[in-house]
Amino acid sequence: MPVLEIRDLKKYFPIRRSIKEFLTAKPPKFVRAVDGISFSIEKKEIFALVGESGCGKTTTAKLIMRLLEPTSGSIIFNGNDITKIDEKEYRKKVQMVFQDPYASMNPRFRVYDVLEEPLLIAGIEDRKEREERIMKALEAVKVSPPGEFVHRFPHQLSGGQRQRVAFARAIILNPEFIVADEPVSMLDLSVRAEILNLMEEIRDKYNVTYLYITHDLSTARYMSDRIAVMYLGKIVEMTNSDSLVEKPLHPYTKALISAVPEPDPKMRGVIKEIPVKGEVPSAVNIPSGCRFHPRCPYAFDRCMKEEPELKQVESGHFVACHLY
Amino acid sequence: MSILSVNNLKAYFLTIRGAVRAVDNVSFSLEKGESLGLAGESGCGKSTLGYALINLLPPPGKIMDGRILIDGVDVTKLSEDELRKKVRWKKISMIFQGAMNALNPVYTIGYQMSEPLIYHEGMSKKEALEEAKRYLELVGLSRDVVNRYPHELSGGMKQRVMIATALILKPTVLIADEPTTALDVIVQAQIINLMKKLKKELGISIIFISHDLSVISEIADRVAIMYAGKIVELGSSDSVYLKPKHPYTQALLRAVPRIRGKKEKLAFIPGAPPNLIEPPSGCRFHPRCPYAFDRCMKEEPELKQVESGHFVACHLY
Amino acid sequence: MRWSDLKADLLDFWFQFVKNKSGMLGLILLIFFIILAIAAPIIAPEAGENWRNLEYWQENPKSVPPAWINIFSSKKLFVHSIIYINKFNVTSYGGITEYVYNISLDYNYDVPPAGMLLVVNAKGKQSPITLDVQFTRPDGTSLRLASEQLYPVSKEDLLEYSLHFGSDMSVVSNVMDFARKYENPDVMSKIKPDVFKFTYPLFSKAKPGLTQEGAAEPLKGRYIITITIFTTEQGIEVTGARMVLEGQSYGLFGTDDFRRDLFQGLMWGTQVSLLVGVVASVVSVLIGVLYGVTSAYLGGRKEELMQRITEIFYNIPMLPLAIMLAALLTPSIWNVVLILVVFGWSGYEFVVRSIAHQVKEMDYIEASRAIGARARRIITRHIMPQIAPYAFASIALGVPGAILTEAALSFLGLADIKRVTWGLILHDANGAAATIRGMWWWVVPPGLFIALLGLSFVLIGTALDEILNPKMRKL
């Protein structure tokens, strides 16, 4: 049974109408941030959700974390619809790590307070027990010796250390599932691997399943077992990471991959071929048919009229494109 | 003669707690039509160096020592007035980090682009607008963008406008400070392509500042790796990327995840960049260096040529 | 945040505050006023409740400037003095009891007392006494000032006999007789007994002009006033007496038209000002904070509605409405506080809401929500600490405004007349046309006190703002 299952999840944000629009009774417009996505994540899997800004990946994370309510569709955790699960229990099992290691902690809280908060909310009354668990969590993320760090403020830690503390906060209640939203994109290069390796360690030691959200295909490939590519609120391709990078099927995925620079100077001077035109349109005016068609070099008639479904074309490899 | 020559530049931030030695004795040169990448992580001094070159250090920053020669003229000795009239934007211009936000939201693009032309070249409004339109085309935008306001443009489009504005007085040197960091990967690729094209067509020299080694390798002819305010390695892109000599460069390259090719375990560098008010004695990298030995703690290594055109500051050589 | 953290924070704050010169000055000023407020019931316990009781102030001079004015003026004004007689020289003979006392007065002034009053206290049966007052001057001349019978008034279980020299015709006539010996007959003939300034001839050199204020030359030296009291009745005993020489100046801040000691009034007024100022400010800020945080947290339509309400309160002009309300409500201190709060809270609400919004958008709020924090925890542990610095600075800065407004309301006659406030003093001064009459001591001190107390809070508040503000920016 998969740990997490998303079924046809949708989240629309209404846009405030101007008086004029209100008076002329124009239908309300929506930002269709997440427009019907489905996937499932197996235990101890690292599942990456990749896409550019505005594709809906962060909104998906918030829906899973119950920070937002879905417009429609369902999220199933360990076989149960999350709206039926007690919120407190759910939050113990599903945790999140944020992108900005500095902003995700109250600058007036010491490390001890940051880590104590989830324990207090979970109702752990015994002070000694809390202290023990905090120390253990810090050890687990290799912030050592813990005694030296518990009294520090976030601004007294390096970026890498802060993100470690963020992970400590995430694992302190022994969750089953962690949503990691761009956990390394604000860290220095030399520190990223540290955190990525830590994530793997946590998975191995604590049997945690990950949803790894990023715009960086390279780290997605490095970290994850499977990748789903999102575009304008929909999943356009989904498969295991090696296949995605070696044999991308969707034109958008191909464009993404070809756009990734690599430290290979032999490619310098050659103006890259980026097989895509223009920029991502606004999520308010989503193109008809296949939402990628205005930019797609392979678009044909059908693409403008009919929205393609996410279909399995090879074993475990799903694409939403009329070419297949 | 080099278009730009920097000799023993020191730029410090004089704070209450002490002088932050952001750029500490940096020397390099830039030839015509060449693009130099300044690579390094946060706090290494690359942005400060960029600002120092155009003498726009935010207070309490100050150029303490050294010379910056542009076309043979030492710009550190010029007055603010002279800098404004003769050097900035005419000889050397800059695209700032997060430049998309540098556009004034209440003026049209055309108005903002015309400003330097009217002020520096004395053009009329009409002439300036025409020139602005030309440059917009040059960066791949349509001419009618002159009438638009910044909020009507996307991030990528705004960045193109910033590039056009930086080039509009035909400077010989362009400093680009993290021009693609805030952009999506596809737009980033488009902008990099644009800069490559401009380099070819206009023959400008570019100093490309970034923490993203992959992006730099796409565009830079030569690369300088900075750490803790100093250049630790300098050479052609080929030699630095394919035959890195400095332990820091080597470690950094091993920390970059590759999308193609075999999946290799990513390396990281334990520890953190040093405090620039009181940097470590000797070689600044020694506390984190796997090869550090006695001499590294006592003596600061000089940037020496170890192969033709390839310089390293390390006692291993 | 643990107690040790809070302690450390407070200590740290204190060290910074001490370094701030203006803040310390403000604090010193504030301490001065607090001491004044505490001292009022100790130094002048009855003055507060008796402000309206004019009888209480009878023995003060009327409308005189402060005593220290003598330091600055070339003409030394007589300082109000009360000489208490506790023990007489008593002799009894033939059914008559004679009480004698010699008052020795060293007179060094240029301007004589404005008036003289003698009060004798006795116990026992109500019966008249005979009073004899002999006035001996330093130049050797003397006169019998008074020789008459006095009738008692009973005050609780004491009998009180009083003689107002200036209003007693026989005394006046005695003085005039004395003056006639030296004065110019023309001048003498023009003197009207009921407005005769009888103390001038008593205390001036014996030569022509001694009856006229401008012409009389002061006779400085030692005066002896011999008081002899005869009682014929048995069953009555004189217990004491006091001679009040009404000064031309009095005390620390002089007196008003109603003979009230303005220093005492000012002291008691300090209590009110501090109370009203601080309470009104604290309550206003508190309401503003709670409202603002709730509004920001609720968001959406509810917030819009709450904001509209705030805006209404913010835009109502205070003074006209305050006057209206004061006319409708019973004038009392607490109603003044109410008015101040009703018009004060909305200003703070805007800023607090703005801060709360900014904090609400921070990632760490989302992180807390993601771990399951409820609204209460987020508000108390995360949002409130960011608002606290602004709140404290606002409380300090809001006090001067409250004090001034209270003074204005009192000045307009809208406040509690039973309690003396600085504004009330000004109100009375205005009613008595004090400024035109040159009674600066009635007008300047209350105004100065208002300004200084306000200033002290402004200085403290500014210092608070300077110190706490950078921390506030650590959003």
Side-chain angles (χ1 to χ4, degrees):
Chain A
M1 184 178 58
V3 174
L4 187 77
E5 209 186 317
I6 310 289
R7 288 188 199 155
D8 202 29
L9 189 63
K10 289 189 188 168
K11 179 66 185 167
Y12 294 178
F13 293 100
I15 303 181
R16 292 176 72 157
R17 296 187 281 177
S18 66
I19 304 258
K20 198 170 85 171
E21 289 172 341
F22 190 75
L23 291 174
T24 55
K26 275 216 177 106
K29 284 196 237 164
F30 292 96
V31 174
R32 294 193 269 165
V34 177
D35 206 2
I37 56 170
S38 308
F39 60 89
S40 60
I41 307 180
E42 302 294 326
K43 197 159 169 64
K44 284 186 87 157
E45 194 182 3
I46 300 184
F47 186 90
L49 204 52
V50 173
E52 298 180 292
S53 52
C55 69
K57 54 194 198 299
T58 307
T59 311
T60 308
K62 292 197 188 173
L63 287 166
I64 294 175
M65 291 304 298
R66 289 181 81 169
L67 292 168
L68 291 172
E69 293 287 311
T71 309
S72 74
S74 50
I75 302 173
I76 319 271
F77 184 71
N78 279 335
N80 300 313
D81 187 322
I82 64 170
T83 53
K84 310 270 188 324
I85 305 179
D86 171 46
E87 201 185 313
K88 221 171 166 191
E89 286 306 309
Y90 184 74
R91 294 210 184 282
K92 282 192 201 166
K93 302 222 180 84
V94 178
Q95 286 288 322
M96 184 159 172
V97 174
F98 294 79
Q99 183 178 9
D100 187 343
Y102 190 49
S104 64
M105 295 181 215
N106 189 329
R108 288 156 169 264
F109 275 26
R110 296 181 194 267
V111 170
Y112 191 90
D113 304 312
V114 171
L115 295 176
E116 199 184 20
E117 199 174 10
L119 298 172
L120 289 169
I121 296 173
I124 299 186
E125 308 259 327
D126 183 27
R127 204 169 185 280
K128 271 216 144 270
E129 191 187 336
R130 291 201 298 268
E131 201 176 320
E132 252 183 67
R133 288 176 79 147
I134 290 173
M135 296 302 184
K136 268 190 20 198
L138 284 174
E139 296 265 5
V141 296
K142 304 236 182 51
V143 172
S144 214
E148 211 187 283
F149 287 92
V150 280
H151 296 298
R152 293 208 196 164
F153 288 103
H155 68 265
Q156 293 171 311
L157 303 171
S158 72
Q161 287 167 331
R162 284 197 279 264
Q163 205 61 315
R164 285 176 184 277
V165 171
F167 269 98
R169 175 171 64 183
I171 62 169
I172 204 164
L173 288 175
N174 294 321
E176 287 176 36
F177 191 86
I178 294 184
V179 176
D181 188 2
E182 308 261 22
V184 294
S185 55
M186 289 190 74
L187 299 175
D188 278 324
L189 206 51
S190 62
V191 171
R192 285 184 197 187
E194 230 184 323
I195 299 298
L196 293 175
N197 291 344
L198 175 68
M199 282 174 69
E200 284 181 336
E201 267 175 48
I202 292 176
R203 176 200 44 191
D204 296 332
K205 255 172 63 175
Y206 298 92
N207 298 321
V208 168
T209 310
Y210 279 98
L211 174 64
Y212 178 66
I213 296 178
T214 181
H215 65 277
D216 183 354
L217 257 181
S218 314
T219 53
R221 183 229 177 179
Y222 178 77
M223 280 298 287
S224 54
D225 302 307
R226 283 195 299 149
I227 300 179
V229 179
M230 278 186 80
Y231 183 78
L232 271 188
K234 275 192 127 28
I235 296 182
V236 296
E237 188 162 355
M238 182 164 70
T239 180
N240 66 68
S241 41
D242 286 327
S243 301
L244 190 89
V245 172
E246 284 157 27
K247 286 181 295 169
L249 297 178
H250 197 285
Y252 178 62
T253 317
K254 289 190 195 167
L256 272 185
I257 293 174
S258 69
V260 174
E262 256 199 80
D264 181 5
K266 288 199 265 303
M267 295 297 292
R268 200 176 9 100
V270 174
I271 297 194
K272 274 189 148 88
E273 259 298 321
I274 305 166
V276 92
K277 295 175 281 195
E279 295 192 23
V280 183
S282 137
V284 181
N285 292 315
I286 296 191
S288 58
C290 169
R291 36 196 79 195
F292 189 61
H293 86 253
R295 305 175 70 194
C296 186
Y298 309 108
F300 51 92
D301 246 5
R302 195 179 170 202
C303 305
M304 274 174 265
K305 302 191 195 113
E306 201 188 309
E307 208 176 333
E309 269 178 43
L310 191 67
K311 303 194 293 248
Q312 185 164 213
V313 290
E314 281 169 19
S315 166
H317 198 148
F318 298 77
V319 197
C321 180
H322 290 307
L323 289 171
Y324 306 96
Chain B
M1 186 181 65
S2 313
I3 279 257
L4 172 73
S5 180
V6 177
N7 296 47
N8 305 103
L9 185 65
K10 288 194 178 131
Y12 294 359
F13 285 93
L14 305 172
T15 69
I16 310 175
R17 299 213 185 98
V20 177
R21 294 147 75 163
V23 174
D24 210 358
N25 207 343
V26 161
S27 308
F28 65 90
S29 62
L30 183 70
E31 305 301 320
K32 188 162 167 56
E34 182 184 38
S35 63
L36 172 71
L38 273 184
E41 297 175 292
S42 55
C44 70
K46 52 193 198 300
S47 283
T48 310
L49 181 54
Y51 279 100
L53 292 177
I54 200 171
N55 206 332
L56 274 181
L57 282 174
K62 202 167 170 286
I63 296 180
M64 307 295 293
D65 201 7
R67 302 189 305 161
I68 302 172
L69 296 160
I70 300 180
D71 266 350
V73 178
D74 185 358
V75 297
T76 57
K77 302 277 184 302
L78 296 178
S79 70
E80 177 67 19
D81 214 37
E82 288 175 303
L83 275 170
R84 214 168 3 105
K85 293 210 181 97
K86 294 192 222 135
V87 177
R88 271 196 217 120
W89 238 253
K90 290 192 87 160
K91 292 241 172 83
I92 178 166
S93 71
M94 188 159 174
I95 304 170
F96 305 97
Q97 210 170 27
M100 297 95 81
N101 301 318
L103 288 168
N104 191 325
V106 299
Y107 290 113
T108 60
I109 302 295
Y111 182 94
Q112 299 189 55
M113 286 180 74
S114 315
E115 236 187 337
L117 289 168
I118 298 173
Y119 180 69
H120 281 275
E121 306 288 326
M123 286 191 192
S124 71
K125 261 209 263 187
K126 202 156 167 254
E127 289 172 330
L129 215 59
E130 189 52 46
E131 186 81 343
K133 288 185 194 169
R134 264 199 341 122
Y135 271 84
L136 284 173
E137 280 183 322
L138 186 66
V139 296
L141 293 171
S142 79
R143 289 165 71 91
D144 59 72
V145 168
V146 280
N147 296 320
R148 306 258 199 98
Y149 285 90
H151 69 265
E152 297 176 83
L153 304 178
S154 71
M157 291 168 85
K158 282 192 278 203
Q159 195 64 307
R160 289 172 194 266
V161 167
M162 290 314 295
I163 297 176
T165 315
L167 295 174
I168 209 158
L169 290 181
K170 303 190 179 55
T172 41
V173 180
L174 175 68
I175 306 173
D177 188 4
E178 308 268 15
T180 59
T181 307
L183 303 171
D184 280 328
V185 67
I186 291 185
V187 178
Q188 174 177 274
Q190 290 170 338
I191 298 291
I192 295 176
N193 280 351
L194 172 65
M195 296 188 80
K196 288 190 201 176
K197 184 181 100 153
L198 291 172
K199 185 168 148 243
K200 234 192 239 177
E201 285 179 20
L202 301 177
I204 50 170
S205 317
I206 304 180
I207 296 182
F208 198 100
I209 302 174
S210 178
H211 67 276
D212 192 336
L213 285 174
S214 319
V215 167
I216 287 189
S217 84
E218 288 269 344
I219 191 163
D221 299 313
R222 283 197 307 143
V223 177
I225 309 277
M226 283 187 77
Y227 183 80
K230 290 186 156 308
I231 294 183
V232 296
E233 189 157 356
L234 173 64
S236 71
S237 290
D238 281 349
S239 47
V240 174
Y241 280 99
L242 300 173
K243 288 180 289 177
K245 300 247 183 288
H246 197 286
Y248 177 63
T249 318
Q250 293 168 348
L252 216 55
L253 285 168
R254 282 201 297 268
V256 179
R258 313 289 164 109
I259 194 167
R260 303 168 189 97
K262 214 171 83 125
K263 231 196 307 201
E264 290 189 7
K265 182 98 179 157
L266 285 181
F268 65 90
I269 308 177
N275 176 345
L276 290 175
I277 296 179
E278 277 185 43
S281 58
C283 170
R284 296 189 177 182
F285 188 60
H286 87 251
R288 306 168 77 190
C289 183
Y291 309 111
F293 50 93
D294 245 2
R295 194 176 171 204
C296 305
M297 277 174 260
K298 300 188 194 119
E299 201 186 311
E300 219 183 289
E302 269 178 46
L303 194 67
K304 298 196 300 246
Q305 186 162 215
V306 288
E307 278 171 15
S308 167
H310 193 158
F311 300 75
V312 195
C314 180
H315 289 309
L316 289 171
Y317 305 93
Chain C
M1 282 287 189
R2 260 154 288 118
W3 171 239
S4 56
D5 272 346
L6 192 63
K7 237 182 0 189
D9 270 349
L10 284 172
L11 270 173
D12 182 51
F13 164 78
W14 176 247
F15 285 132
Q16 282 195 282
F17 189 81
V18 172
K19 276 190 238 157
N20 189 312
K21 290 204 193 84
S22 46
M24 285 309 284
L25 178 63
L27 190 62
I28 291 170
L29 272 175
L30 180 61
I31 291 176
F32 164 70
F33 280 111
I34 293 178
I35 292 176
L36 219 58
I38 297 176
I42 301 173
I43 293 183
E46 295 156 349
E49 13 174 279
N50 280 309
W51 195 251
R52 276 291 180 227
N53 176 12
L54 299 185
E55 244 196 72
Y56 176 80
W57 306 96
Q58 269 311 302
E59 287 171 25
N60 286 350
K62 185 165 120 119
S63 326
V64 296
W68 42 263
I69 197 181
N70 283 337
I71 308 175
F72 304 106
S73 79
S74 48
K75 277 171 109 196
K76 296 221 168 310
L77 301 174
F78 190 82
V79 176
H80 186 88
S81 26
I82 304 182
I83 300 151
Y84 291 91
I85 306 168
N86 293 319
K87 242 183 129 212
F88 287 90
N89 242 327
V90 187
T91 43
S92 283
Y93 48 87
I96 298 175
T97 322
E98 188 184 280
Y99 301 81
V100 181
Y101 191 85
N102 284 311
I103 296 174
S104 182
L105 178 68
D106 282 310
Y107 181 77
N108 262 317
Y109 300 92
D110 298 302
V111 180
M116 287 162 71
L117 166 70
L118 180 64
V119 178
V120 178
N121 294 112
K123 277 199 312 218
K125 193 154 160 229
Q126 276 208 23
S127 61
I129 57 168
T130 308
L131 175 70
D132 186 279
V133 180
Q134 187 78 11
F135 192 83
T136 312
R137 292 151 44 100
D139 61 1
T141 55
S142 71
L143 70 147
R144 171 167 276 115
L145 258 188
S147 172
E148 51 196 276
Q149 250 196 359
L150 293 180
Y151 291 86
V153 160
S154 72
K155 281 260 173 81
E156 280 144 42
D157 44 333
L158 281 180
L159 300 169
E160 204 178 83
Y161 304 78
S162 43
L163 175 63
H164 288 269
F165 286 58
S167 3
D168 188 294
M169 280 303 119
S170 65
V171 169
V172 171
S173 143
N174 289 339
V175 176
M176 279 176 77
D177 287 342
F178 170 80
R180 197 165 290 121
K181 285 196 264 184
Y182 309 96
E183 181 62 280
N184 193 318
D186 270 338
V187 175
M188 243 5 265
S189 60
K190 294 205 186 80
I191 292 179
K192 294 202 189 64
D194 44 341
V195 295
F196 182 41
K197 289 197 163 126
F198 75 99
T199 51
Y200 273 93
L202 286 181
F203 289 93
S204 309
K205 288 196 179 137
K207 49 193 230 210
L210 82 169
T211 59
Q212 300 307 309
E213 189 179 326
E217 271 180 52
L219 175 64
K220 298 188 186 175
R222 173 161 289 190
Y223 288 71
I224 311 270
I225 306 173
T226 310
I227 298 181
T228 315
I229 301 168
F230 300 92
T231 60
T232 49
E233 183 64 50
Q234 307 294 0
I236 182 170
E237 191 197 333
V238 173
T239 53
R242 55 183 186 275
M243 179 102 186
V244 178
L245 298 163
E246 203 179 297
Q248 301 278 16
S249 64
Y250 180 84
L252 215 49
F253 284 109
T255 62
D256 64 3
D257 273 3
F258 304 100
R259 301 175 183 264
R260 298 182 289 204
D261 182 351
L262 287 172
F263 175 60
Q264 294 185 350
L266 285 171
M267 274 211 296
W268 280 87
T270 311
Q271 284 193 348
V272 173
S273 295
L274 276 176
L275 186 76
V276 169
V278 172
V279 169
S281 193
V282 166
V283 175
S284 299
V285 170
L286 228 77
I287 295 180
V289 165
L290 290 172
Y291 196 100
V293 168
T294 313
S295 165
Y297 203 78
L298 288 178
R301 289 236 169 79
K302 291 189 212 129
E303 180 180 9
E304 296 273 341
L305 184 64
M306 288 179 83
Q307 279 311 106
R308 298 293 90 79
I309 295 175
T310 315
E311 281 161 19
I312 291 175
F313 272 94
Y314 187 73
N315 285 301
I316 298 179
M318 192 205 323
L319 217 49
L321 219 72
I323 294 176
M324 243 176 55
L325 280 174
L328 293 171
L329 301 166
T330 48
S332 94
I333 276 301
W334 298 111
N335 282 332
V336 170
V337 172
L338 178 71
I339 291 173
L340 288 170
V341 167
V342 161
F343 291 99
W345 68 269
S346 52
Y348 302 116
E349 192 272 344
F350 287 119
V351 179
V352 167
R353 170 178 164 257
S354 163
I355 300 176
H357 263 299
Q358 282 182 55
V359 174
K360 211 173 72 136
E361 298 308 315
M362 290 277 117
D363 274 1
Y364 59 82
I365 299 287
E366 210 171 36
S368 287
R369 281 180 64 208
I371 12 179
R374 287 284 154 83
R376 202 181 66 171
R377 163 168 272 270
I378 292 191
I379 291 178
T380 50
R381 302 299 307 294
H382 294 281
I383 300 186
M384 284 303 193
Q386 300 284 1
I387 294 181
Y390 169 75
F392 286 122
S394 297
I395 289 178
L397 290 167
V399 172
I403 294 173
L404 283 167
T405 314
E406 177 277 317
L409 290 175
S410 299
F411 180 79
L412 290 172
L414 297 170
D416 190 348
I417 54 170
K418 280 191 250 84
R419 282 192 211 233
V420 51
T421 79
W422 298 342
L424 187 62
I425 296 177
L426 283 173
H427 167 84
D428 291 341
N430 191 47
T435 340
I436 303 176
R437 290 162 58 194
M439 297 173 76
W440 54 267
W441 61 93
W442 199 353
V443 174
V444 171
L448 200 64
F449 271 42
I450 292 172
L452 284 177
L453 185 57
L455 179 67
S456 75
F457 276 98
V458 167
L459 289 173
I460 294 176
T462 311
L464 280 183
D465 206 45
E466 273 170 22
I467 299 172
L468 298 173
N469 216 335
K471 295 204 176 109
M472 187 167 109
R473 292 291 150 229
K474 246 206 269 176
L475 282 177

